[in-house]
């Protein structure tokens, strides 16, 4: 869940900003909790239907926010960037992640998703002619070897392999939208871009909403409330706290806190769902996260 935005210069001195501590902590915990919440929601809803219900619940308030704040309409030249955010980053990302998490545990999925900075760097290399050093390639190899170890730890078979590829596809959707939407933040507030993404994404997923409404009566209460939680906390509120974080820290420094999401997701998954990571899963997670750190530090 990477968002790039221009930010104010870092504050100097020993003063601790309580608001910054709150927004960082809340965002990390909220985004980490989305992975077990998806697993819980899938016990009562299909992957496509759950995505549609989640972003119907998030998209309507997002659209109302845009109206209330009189957010600027997308310029014709920027329209494709907003559509990419809504269709690729929201709709397709949610579908691929939900499909993958039918099989892959929540903690493991969070480590795989966290490879999106590597994919963003690779896209920047291809599209923006940025250099990709030998160290960066080694970090990339370490990350993807870690993903292989995660798959092995979950009983490597066809279902696991396909599910891991689906989650990697979701991470790639994140990377694509990061590169495509980066120029928007020079002309629009981060919160407005996020609201447009959710509103457009909810509209793109609306064909699956009737099926979701049909599944509600038979869905366990935990599944239903998990979808509501996904719409309100990781989607609506956490994007707001992330926008505040970006306004008080440089984007690169703020993004470093996202390394906390996978370990936190693994902990929440254990407490909420009783998912116990395997030794190979933990090793693979460390390798995956370590590779991402190497690539980002080098850049």
């Amino acid at each position: 869940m990477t968002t790039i935005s221009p930010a104010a210069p870092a504050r100097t001195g020993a003063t601790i900003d309580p608001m910054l501590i709150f927004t960082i902590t809340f965002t990390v915990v909220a985004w980490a909790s989305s992975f077990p919440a998806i697993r819980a929601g899938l016990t009562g809803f299909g992957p496509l239907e759950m995505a549609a219900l989640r972003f119907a619940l998030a998209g309507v308030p997002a659209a109302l926010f845009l109206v209330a704040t009189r957010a600027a309409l997308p310029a014709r030249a920027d329209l494709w960037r907003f559509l990419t955010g809504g269709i690729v980053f929201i709709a397709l990302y949610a579908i691929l992640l939900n499909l993958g998490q039918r099989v892959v545990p929540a903690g493991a999925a969070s480590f795989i998703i966290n490879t999106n900075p590597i994919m963003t760097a690779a896209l920047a290399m291809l599209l923006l002619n940025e250099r990709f050093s030998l160290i960066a390639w080694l970090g990339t190899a370490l990350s993807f070897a870690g993903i292989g170890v995660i798959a092995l730890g979950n009983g490597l078979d066809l279902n696991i392999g396909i599910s891991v590829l689906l989650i990697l596809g979701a991470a790639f959707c994140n990377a694509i939208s990061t590169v495509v939407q980066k120029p928007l933040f020079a002309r629009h507030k981060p919160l407005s871009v996020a609201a447009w993404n959710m509103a457009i994404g909810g509209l793109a997923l609306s064909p699956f909403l009737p099926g979701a409404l049909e599944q509600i009566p038979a869905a366990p209460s935990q599944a239903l409330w998990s979808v509501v939680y996904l719409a309100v906390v990781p989607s609506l509120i956490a994007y707001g706290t992330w926008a505040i974080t970006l306004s008080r820290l440089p984007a690169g420094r703020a993004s470093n806190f996202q390394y906390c999401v996978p370990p936190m997701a693994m902990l929440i998954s254990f407490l909420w769902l009783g998912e116990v990571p395997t030794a190979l899963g933990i090793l693979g997670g460390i390798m995956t996260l370590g590779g991402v750190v190497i690539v980002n530090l080098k850049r």
Side-chain angles (χ1 to χ4, degrees), residues 19-211:
M19 175 59 74
L20 190 58
I21 293 173
F22 169 76
T23 58
I24 291 171
T25 303
F26 184 92
T27 305
V28 167
V29 174
W31 284 350
S33 66
S34 67
F35 294 95
I38 288 172
R39 288 278 283 181
L42 288 170
T43 61
F45 295 93
L48 277 65
E49 290 78 10
M50 187 173 78
L53 183 57
R54 172 184 178 180
F55 286 104
L57 294 172
V60 172
L64 293 175
F65 168 82
L66 292 170
V67 173
T69 58
R70 297 181 179 180
L73 292 173
R76 182 176 297 180
D78 287 336
L79 185 58
W80 73 277
R81 298 184 188 275
F82 281 99
L83 291 174
T84 299
I87 295 172
V88 177
F89 178 52
I90 296 295
L92 188 57
Y93 172 94
I95 289 172
L96 292 174
L97 182 57
N98 290 355
L99 286 168
Q101 280 203 242
R102 290 182 302 175
V103 176
V104 177
S110 69
F111 279 104
I112 297 171
I113 282 291
N114 210 56
T115 59
N116 77 78
I118 291 178
M119 299 183 186
T120 303
L123 284 174
M125 178 190 68
L126 293 173
L127 302 178
L128 306 178
N129 295 321
E130 290 190 9
R131 293 187 60 191
F132 213 63
S133 66
L134 176 60
I135 296 296
W137 282 115
L138 291 174
T140 301
L142 178 62
S143 255
F144 282 91
I147 291 173
V149 173
I150 289 173
L152 187 62
N154 286 278
L156 188 58
D157 58 26
L158 184 60
N159 284 337
I160 285 289
I162 292 175
S163 298
V164 166
L165 288 176
L166 288 168
I167 297 173
L168 281 172
F172 188 60
C173 289
N174 193 328
I176 290 173
S177 57
T178 297
V179 173
V180 169
Q181 290 201 308
K182 183 177 180 180
L184 294 179
F185 295 107
R187 299 181 289 277
H188 300 269
K189 295 179 180 179
L191 204 54
S192 295
V193 175
W196 277 111
N197 284 347
M198 281 185 274
I200 295 171
L203 186 62
L205 290 164
S206 60
F208 307 109
L209 188 56

Side-chain angles (χ1 to χ4, degrees), residues 236-264:
L236 285 172
I237 300 177
Y239 272 109
T241 55
W242 183 241
I244 294 172
T245 301
L246 288 172
S247 71
R248 292 168 181 254
L249 282 180
R253 186 178 300 177
S255 296
N256 288 337
F257 289 101
Q258 294 185 27
Y259 296 134
C260 301
V261 170
M264 182 63 67

